[in-house]
Amino acid sequence: MAISEWLDILMFAVACGALLCGFPVAFTLAGVALIFGLAGMWFGVFDFGFMAVLPQRIYGNMTNEVLMAVPLFIFMGTMLERSRVAEELLENMARLFGSLRGGLGFSVSIVGALLAASTGIVGATVVTMGLLSLPTMVRRGYDPSLACGSIAAAGTLGQIIPPSIVLVLLGDTMANAYADAQRAQGIFALDTISVGDLFAGAIIPGLMLVGFYIAYQAWRAYSDPASSPAMPPEDDLTRKELYSRTLRALIPPVTLIISVMGSILAGIATPTEAAAVGAVGAILLAGERHERTRRAVRIAALALVALLIETSFMDLRTSRSDIGVVDTIGIWVAFALCAAIAWSLLASLIQLARQKTLQEASQSTARVTSMVFVILIGAALFSLVFRGLGGDTTVEHFLTNMPGGAMGAMITVMAIMFLLGFFLDFIEIVFVVVPLVAPVLLQMGIDPIWLGIMMAINLQTSFLTPPFGFALFYLRGVAPETIRTGQIYRGVVPFVMIQIFALVVIALVPGLATWLPHLIFG
């Protein structure tokens, strides 16, 4: 068989090899694509006209309203991470559950879930909990491997519990794949899925995963008490004072979660609009932690509540031709309430700028967003060349000829993604692998929401699998010198098995992923 017939497979293999050698992802994808595009032209099996689509692809990605949520969610998470919300949550949850055997592990999982629902950034969560919880857990006699595994696994919950950057990127990719699959079947009255569908579908599996983590830690505490000792009280706080402190620490992130997720699930806002709400809310929460702006933020909170109540009982549209006296007064009151919120936001921004927090959060957001979109451009070029070489046909033949039909193809794709997760980042898998396999699987009749959630949990596992699991690198960077790398690797193995078990459960009971989106969005 001529080498020209293997160019698509060689292209994918060379790209994986270059990534394993440590070359930058975006430039690797684009460079390999150009080399194999020229090779395909040389052998006469590639039409360079495919490249003419690239500018349109790039423009479409840069103007994609869904992808605008990415920098907003990143900014929200970065701002919250620097506002020390996580520190307060961890300290108070540790006091609340620490007296139980295994209680520190419970608190880490619960705080990880709350931070996942309010920040969605794995690196910030793992680093914060690694700095604050790991030394305490080791000092209190916890098994180092169990402590490391609990923190790393809880930190990755930001990949499955919405709002999640993975779900935003995966939602956009799945929507395009679903449209391609329907057109390939001759269906032109296209059904659609959205990021909101995946957000709703991920809630139950995400909470189930938290429950599995806590159940495993409870089992370890019961079967091996020495691995998870109870923590004696460190101070003379009464139960009432403890509950009061914990409630005060819970209110800010829970309020933000309700504002962001509630607006999406209630159909009030799109994910992009909700991301903007989250970014503004994160600024206000960060401002509330400073004495100078605390009063202004609380006034803004009251103004927001009043505005929501007013919109529930009055028609505040200004475009009407006939506006009554009562509605006119209500509109002017709404303007005043909006002005109070804007004043509080401006005061918070000024204070955060003085503290250098705003600059740090903005720079971090710019760096991460640039990385995501540069990889997206490289992946677009890679995808065009791969399809031009017939790679999509190769993938389709491979999956459709798998024994077991749709389920056999699904299991194969999940296994391939799991293995790729040992070496590749979730962004490369979302932008390169998912567009190739998802249309084929969807043509086989697989539910797109169920497929998206299965892929999201599989991608979450890539953060924990050695040797290149990012959560392991983050934790290794902040762990005490007494913690060995081998202990971190051993600690995450049970949690990787738990995630595989969760995949099996969702595969057997698809309604865990599809029931809530169908209930909310029909």
Side-chain angles (χ1 to χ4, degrees):
M1 186 178 291
I3 191 174
S4 60
E5 298 180 26
W6 290 85
L7 282 179
D8 51 352
I9 299 175
L10 284 174
M11 177 182 173
F12 192 84
V14 169
C16 291
L19 291 171
L20 288 176
C21 292
F23 290 102
V25 176
F27 303 118
T28 295
L29 294 176
V32 170
L34 285 174
I35 291 171
F36 276 83
L38 293 172
M41 290 180 61
W42 176 269
F43 287 109
V45 294
F46 178 71
D47 181 4
F48 208 75
F50 275 89
M51 295 296 188
V53 185
L54 182 62
Q56 298 173 352
R57 283 277 190 95
I58 295 174
Y59 180 78
N61 289 328
M62 295 301 106
T63 57
N64 189 330
E65 185 177 339
V66 174
L67 295 181
M68 287 172 60
V70 172
L72 292 170
F73 278 133
I74 293 172
F75 179 83
M76 180 182 78
T78 306
M79 182 61 73
L80 284 178
E81 184 251 332
R82 282 164 170 74
S83 64
R84 302 185 64 183
V85 170
E87 292 185 28
E88 278 198 4
L89 272 175
L90 278 170
E91 290 172 1
N92 288 284
M93 285 294 179
R95 291 192 185 101
L96 188 62
F97 292 102
S99 59
L100 300 174
R101 188 181 297 163
L104 286 178
F106 302 163
S107 66
V108 164
S109 296
I110 294 171
V111 171
L114 289 171
L115 292 178
S118 54
T119 66
I121 298 180
V122 170
T125 305
V126 173
V127 168
T128 301
M129 293 198 297
L131 286 170
L132 297 177
S133 295
L134 186 55
T136 302
M137 296 176 80
V138 173
R139 188 172 65 251
R140 295 296 181 182
Y142 268 68
D143 179 84
S145 294
L146 176 61
C148 292
S150 301
I151 291 171
T156 62
L157 289 170
Q159 297 300 94
I160 184 62
I161 295 180
S164 159
I165 303 301
V166 169
L167 293 177
V168 173
L169 299 177
L170 192 59
D172 183 68
T173 305
M174 288 295 298
N176 295 330
Y178 192 33
D180 291 342
Q182 291 176 91
R183 282 193 287 266
Q185 293 173 299
I187 302 172
F188 296 99
L190 300 181
D191 192 10
T192 61
I193 65 167
S194 66
V195 174
D197 291 321
L198 290 189
F199 277 10
I203 291 176
I204 294 176
L207 295 177
M208 180 185 71
L209 205 53
V210 177
F212 287 166
Y213 289 169
I214 294 176
Y216 168 71
Q217 290 161 348
W219 175 80
R220 280 294 302 270
Y222 174 78
S223 62
D224 183 12
S227 68
S228 311
M231 184 178 72
E234 295 184 353
D235 46 40
D236 298 326
L237 285 177
T238 65
R239 300 301 293 181
K240 183 178 180 180
E241 292 172 331
L242 179 58
Y243 292 146
S244 177
R245 286 191 180 188
T246 305
L247 188 62
R248 285 200 301 269
L250 277 173
I251 287 176
V254 169
T255 302
L256 192 64
I257 293 167
I258 293 174
S259 301
V260 175
M261 288 305 303
S263 61
I264 295 174
L265 299 181
I268 300 172
T270 65
T272 303
E273 294 165 344
V277 171
V280 171
I283 293 171
L284 293 176
L285 288 182
E288 199 271 340
R289 305 186 64 82
H290 296 283
E291 190 67 36
R292 291 183 178 180
T293 53
R294 184 167 299 161
R295 180 178 297 178
V297 171
R298 291 176 179 176
I299 291 173
L302 293 174
L304 181 59
V305 172
L307 190 61
L308 291 174
I309 294 173
E310 188 180 5
T311 54
S312 301
F313 294 99
M314 301 183 68
D315 187 352
L316 301 179
R317 292 174 299 164
T318 58
S319 58
R320 292 175 293 157
S321 58
D322 184 19
I323 303 176
V325 176
V326 175
D327 284 347
T328 301
I329 296 173
I331 289 171
W332 282 107
V333 170
F335 278 132
L337 294 173
C338 290
I341 297 172
W343 167 70
S344 174
L345 183 62
L346 180 60
S348 297
L349 286 171
I350 293 173
Q351 181 62 34
L352 293 172
R354 288 173 179 168
Q355 302 289 331
K356 304 297 183 183
T357 304
L358 181 61
Q359 293 89 323
E360 294 172 1
S362 300
Q363 290 170 4
S364 178
T365 301
R367 282 194 297 269
V368 177
T369 304
S370 300
M371 176 194 71
V372 170
F373 279 88
V374 170
I375 292 175
L376 181 57
I377 293 172
L381 178 57
F382 185 91
S383 176
L384 284 173
V385 176
F386 189 78
R387 291 175 186 274
L389 293 172
D392 52 346
T393 304
T394 301
V395 171
E396 183 176 358
H397 287 167
F398 173 73
L399 292 179
T400 53
N401 292 324
M402 288 299 299
M407 189 51 63
M410 179 69 179
I411 293 172
T412 303
V413 168
M414 289 292 106
I416 291 173
M417 290 180 65
F418 178 76
L419 293 175
L420 288 175
F422 280 79
F423 310 104
L424 302 181
D425 184 24
F426 76 93
I427 299 178
E428 295 102 90
I429 297 175
V430 168
F431 288 155
V432 177
V433 179
V434 175
L436 297 176
V437 300
V440 181
L441 294 176
L442 294 173
Q443 288 180 51
M444 295 179 174
I446 291 177
D447 187 284
I449 299 176
W450 178 71
L451 177 62
I453 300 305
M454 291 285 287
M455 287 182 168
I457 296 179
N458 204 337
L459 291 173
Q460 179 192 355
T461 308
S462 69
F463 273 81
L464 293 177
T465 48
F468 299 118
F470 278 80
L472 309 181
F473 287 147
Y474 295 140
L475 188 58
R476 175 68 276 177
V478 298
E481 294 181 0
T482 55
I483 299 294
R484 300 189 303 274
T485 302
Q487 291 175 318
I488 297 177
Y489 284 2
R490 284 196 303 273
V492 300
V493 170
F495 292 93
V496 172
M497 301 305 295
I498 288 172
Q499 290 182 334
I500 295 174
F501 176 71
L503 276 174
V504 173
V505 171
I506 298 171
L508 296 175
V509 189
L512 292 170
T514 58
W515 173 74
L516 193 57
H518 292 160
L519 176 67
I520 295 174
F521 302 114

